[in-house]
Amino acid sequence: MTMPNLISIDNGERVRHSFSDAEYANRIAKLRAMMARNNVDTVLFTSYHNINYYSDFLYCSFGRFYGLVVTQDKSIIIAANIDGGQPWRKGVCDRAVIYTDWQQGNYFRAIAQEVPNKGRVGLEYDHLPLERMDKIRAALPGVEFTNVAADVMKLRMVKSAEEIEFIKNGAQVCDVGGAALVAAVHAGVPEHEVALASTQAMVREIAKRYPHTELMDTWTWFQSGINTDGAHNPVTTRKVQHGDILSLNCFSMISGYYTALERTLFFGDVDAASLRLWEVNVRVHEEGQKLVKPGVRCCDVAHALNEIYEEYDLLQYRTFGYGHSFGVLSHYYGREAGLEFREDIDTVLEPGMVVSIEPMIMLPEGMPGAGGYREHDILVVTADGHQNITGFPYGPKHNVIRAQAQSLLTSRA
């Protein structure tokens, strides 16, 4: 029996999408306008973030390759047979072409079928390993390739009204996770148990708000003691002890959209050195928020906040930039690198951009106040300033956890 290379699996009914049909139509229209300006005939997306942004399909790679082909008159998902009819049911597209595992190279046969072998084809050079790029070139020998990654990133950086409402809901879900995390902290509790309580609360809140969505990728990093030294340190089995510095990191994922809540906490008493460091970081956090408004360059925010750390001789303990963009991204995919508060980014803030302010300093073990201090709020840039959409309180007045922790954590709202 000869098994086919490419098939269709239009199984079941189309499901409700994360955004309105008009929202996706507007995204594709802006993409096609950019293609026309740059004389790009076809775009082949391969990344999680762009395929999800334009088609609402968030693939699970597991060693396989995926694609979204966009021309001026069609939009085609390329997906693997292992996914069944899910790409077609979920995808905002004209068709879903499914490649099988029965012959080697079927993914590239799908590309050759759907991408015309002529003209200019846009690729995401920042997402293609050399080996895969070489095979795409071999599949399309008559094509001139060009890199569209930066141009498409710029299209994603300014959010629509629907996106902003979606992100606001995600921020509120993180607030729910933060409350559950604090409620789970007590002497001797392992980090993983605290993280589980937070994640479960967020997943249930997402299911309540968006009963039609896929539930995947929401997670919590809860760190204690020395484990707070890295912003992305994994959860461990370390047990919380009296006097520990703690890091709360709640990450809501809804249809590929990431939102975050990050806070410094202490369990029990706070020593004088730690209190001083915490208060300095809170000052930087608050001053950073004041700077977020249209017309401000990202690099200028970074330089201004550097001066505050220098005032306290702490700049050398800063560990990364002061914030970043939000939208379709996660801890394993996506990044709008052109919208980060760093010294090397000169992007000018515009209304509709969504950014964080998240200063962090880390004092190594053996120093007074050792540990990592970080606060994180999400801000929507408006016509005359910004709107802070994070509701969970920050700083020593609110986030020292004792026996009656719940009574200390009152909402800023």
Side-chain angles (χ1 to χ4, degrees), residues 30 37 85 122 127 137-138 150 163 171 180 230 243 261 268 273 314 322 357:
K30 289 180 177 179
R37 287 193 304 272
H127 192 265
R137 290 184 188 278
E163 282 185 286
L261 169 68
L314 292 172
Y322 289 102
I357 286 292

Side-chain angles (χ1 to χ4, degrees), residues 45 47-55 68 124 152 156 328:
F45 290 121
S47 67
Y48 290 97
H49 40 284
N50 279 322
I51 292 175
N52 183 60
Y53 183 78
Y54 288 105
S55 76
L68 178 69
E124 301 170 82
V152 174
R156 299 197 315 270
V328 180

Side-chain angles (χ1 to χ4, degrees), residues 113-131:
Q113 173 181 288
E114 298 302 329
V115 178
N117 187 26
K118 61 182 180 179
R120 298 185 81 215
V121 173
L123 300 175
E124 301 170 82
Y125 286 8
D126 60 350
H127 192 265
L128 280 173
L130 286 175
E131 180 184 23

Side-chain angles (χ1 to χ4, degrees), residues 1 3 43 71 92 112 117 145 207 288 290 308 312 346 364 393 405-406:
M1 179 179 179
M3 305 296 279
V43 167
T71 68
V92 179
N117 187 26
F145 293 102
K290 295 175 185 178
I308 302 175
Y312 294 94
D346 61 3
Q406 290 83 354

Side-chain angles (χ1 to χ4, degrees), residues 36-48:
R37 287 193 304 272
N38 296 334
N39 298 314
V40 174
D41 301 289
T42 305
V43 167
L44 170 62
F45 290 121
T46 52
S47 67
Y48 290 97

